[in-house]
Amino acid sequence: MKKQYWKTAVTIVMLTLIMAVCLSMAVYRAASCMALSDEAALLSGKLSFVNGNAQNVSRETIADEKPTEQSVTRPLSETPTAPAETAEKPQDISHSGDTYPVKALKISNGNMSYDNILIRNTTDVDLDVESLLSADLPFSLEDNHEVQVLVYHTHTCERYLTEDNGEYYEDYYPRSTDGDLGVVAVGEKLVETLKEHGIGAVHDTTLHDYPSYEGSYARSWETICAYKEKYPSIKVTIDLHRDSMTTDEGVKYKPTFEHDGDKAAQIMIMAGCDSDGGFDFWDENLIFAMQLQKKCEDMFPDMTRPLNFGEYTYNMNFNNGSLLIEVGTDVNTVEEAARSGGYLADALAALLRP
């Protein structure tokens, strides 16, 4: 009788354990499939991550604050940044807590293609890509040493990882006033390489998003107006950012490609238009954006995510040489992103000084 009792008890325990294992495997597989479906949708163009938001591809405008057109002269913060402005910069301290995976992939979620370039057009504008690529640039650089390119950051505190180990900690905070950890380092590499090509460039490191994130575009508009007043020769303004892509399961994506055996962050060139008026020369900016996209792909295959063309301005209505460019995401490394900054400068130089 006792033997029968123990046999029954053991059988029940074994069945319970088996059911628990099966249930955990089912939950794991479901989560994995959801992550994979996110990635498949991203690659196919059915899902888009822009500024950290996962959304179905539609004709919706990317939400952000609208820039002001008020021109206010303010102090300029050219590199190196004044010590007073970095007094509160945190150190890259050790992290703790659970870890989540970082996944590298090449993003190709465009809905248009031409030759070796992809475009994601979320407007009702019919694009003649061939004509845009063959058109004359709306501006030209002078053969002198005057400052003709301004690189700045509306969201100056956007940062990257410092190590490529395939994971990030749950307490990772992707913002820092330490420029060496983020987009400022990319801007430095971009400007440094442009100067090596003989192109006069200046890098602004003003913290437009600190201590307050709200109003960043209004403040960066004031900055570019002040630079234009100081350097009337400026023809090109580039607002350098980084993106963020995180699934509900905590997986973060890093858009990555390789060139000569080195990993680098994919970039996304953004060009906007305004159907309500007030941005009458958007088509000229688009010529610049499209030709830069082509030059990047010709020189560094897979360097670019699809060119993002939508109904927004993001201070690109400053002049016909204004672009917003996203370099990687928050889980690319600083090294990968800075490397892309150098490649971007090479492509810009080849386009503007053929």
Side-chain angles (χ1 to χ4, degrees):
M1 189 71 179
K2 286 185 177 180
K3 283 186 178 181
Q4 185 65 34
Y5 171 79
W6 283 110
K7 280 185 179 180
T8 303
V10 169
T11 301
I12 291 172
V13 170
M14 291 297 293
L15 286 172
T16 302
L17 287 172
I18 291 170
M19 289 176 66
V21 170
C22 290
L23 180 61
S24 64
M25 288 180 65
V27 170
Y28 173 79
R29 286 178 63 84
S32 298
C33 288
M34 288 173 68
L36 288 172
S37 65
D38 275 348
E39 184 175 335
L42 179 63
L43 291 169
S44 67
K46 294 178 182 176
L47 182 69
S48 174
F49 284 87
V50 178
N51 294 327
N53 297 317
Q55 54 189 243
N56 290 328
V57 172
S58 66
R59 298 193 183 278
E60 294 179 3
T61 304
I62 298 171
D64 210 318
E65 50 188 317
K66 291 193 174 182
T68 179
E69 295 194 9
Q70 181 182 5
S71 174
V72 180
T73 302
R74 61 201 300 272
L76 304 181
S77 180
E78 298 179 28
T79 301
T81 307
E85 294 180 355
T86 59
E88 297 184 56
K89 77 177 183 180
Q91 301 301 313
D92 191 25
I93 60 174
S94 298
H95 297 287
S96 60
D98 293 336
T99 58
Y100 296 91
V102 171
K103 210 165 187 182
L105 76 167
K106 291 188 188 115
I107 297 179
S108 55
N109 62 331
N111 53 18
M112 294 182 64
S113 64
Y114 180 87
D115 196 7
N116 60 343
I117 66 172
L118 294 168
I119 302 103
R120 181 171 173 265
N121 181 5
T122 58
T123 75
D124 292 320
V125 178
D126 291 326
L127 297 181
D128 184 345
V129 179
E130 184 175 7
S131 295
L132 290 166
L133 290 174
S134 61
D136 292 333
L137 283 173
F139 60 89
S140 60
L141 297 192
E142 303 297 327
D143 189 13
N144 56 36
H145 294 287
E146 293 186 2
V147 172
Q148 299 181 77
V149 178
L150 165 65
V151 176
Y152 69 101
H153 313 276
T154 294
H155 297 151
T156 321
C157 295
E158 292 177 331
R159 66 162 290 184
Y160 301 98
L161 289 179
T162 53
E163 295 181 352
D164 179 20
N165 58 11
E167 62 183 18
Y168 71 99
Y169 285 94
E170 64 179 342
D171 70 342
Y172 170 57
Y173 185 60
R175 295 173 57 75
S176 173
T177 55
D178 185 344
D180 291 340
L181 302 177
V183 291
V184 170
V186 184
E188 274 295 280
K189 184 64 176 178
L190 172 57
V191 168
E192 173 189 312
T193 310
L194 284 173
K195 289 179 178 178
E196 290 173 0
H197 285 288
I199 295 176
V202 65
H203 182 203
D204 178 75
T205 60
T206 302
L207 300 178
H208 298 110
D209 57 341
Y210 179 85
S212 173
Y213 189 86
E214 185 178 355
S216 301
Y217 278 94
R219 288 187 287 275
S220 65
W221 178 273
E222 295 172 4
T223 291
I224 52 182
C225 288
Y227 271 94
K228 182 66 174 176
E229 183 172 328
K230 182 175 181 180
Y231 303 108
S233 53
I234 286 176
K235 304 284 185 66
V236 175
T237 67
I238 295 177
D239 189 3
L240 217 56
H241 292 246
R242 64 109 180 100
D243 210 343
S244 179
M245 305 177 185
T246 311
T247 70
D248 291 339
E249 293 74 38
V251 178
K252 280 184 178 284
Y253 292 125
K254 51 182 281 186
T256 311
F257 75 106
E258 287 192 18
H259 180 71
D260 287 344
D262 292 321
K263 286 183 181 179
Q266 276 190 307
I267 70 169
M268 179 172 67
I269 300 169
M270 298 180 68
C273 67
D274 183 1
S275 57
D276 297 327
F279 189 6
D280 298 333
F281 51 84
W282 62 262
D283 53 330
E284 297 181 12
N285 293 64
L286 183 57
I287 289 171
F288 178 31
M290 198 72 73
Q291 293 187 18
L292 179 57
Q293 178 91 358
K294 185 74 169 69
K295 187 62 69 175
C296 286
E297 282 300 312
D298 287 346
M299 296 176 67
F300 309 101
D302 295 324
M303 176 178 173
T304 62
R305 293 167 57 181
L307 185 148
N308 195 316
F309 177 59
E311 291 195 14
Y312 40 72
T313 53
Y314 294 146
N315 289 356
M316 288 180 279
N317 56 338
F318 181 77
N319 66 9
N320 59 11
S322 295
L323 297 177
L324 189 155
I325 300 178
E326 307 247 18
V327 181
T329 66
D330 53 342
V331 289
N332 280 101
T333 65
V334 179
E335 183 181 16
E336 291 166 348
R339 186 172 287 127
S340 294
Y343 295 158
L344 176 59
D346 291 338
L348 271 168
L351 176 64
L352 301 177
R353 286 274 182 82

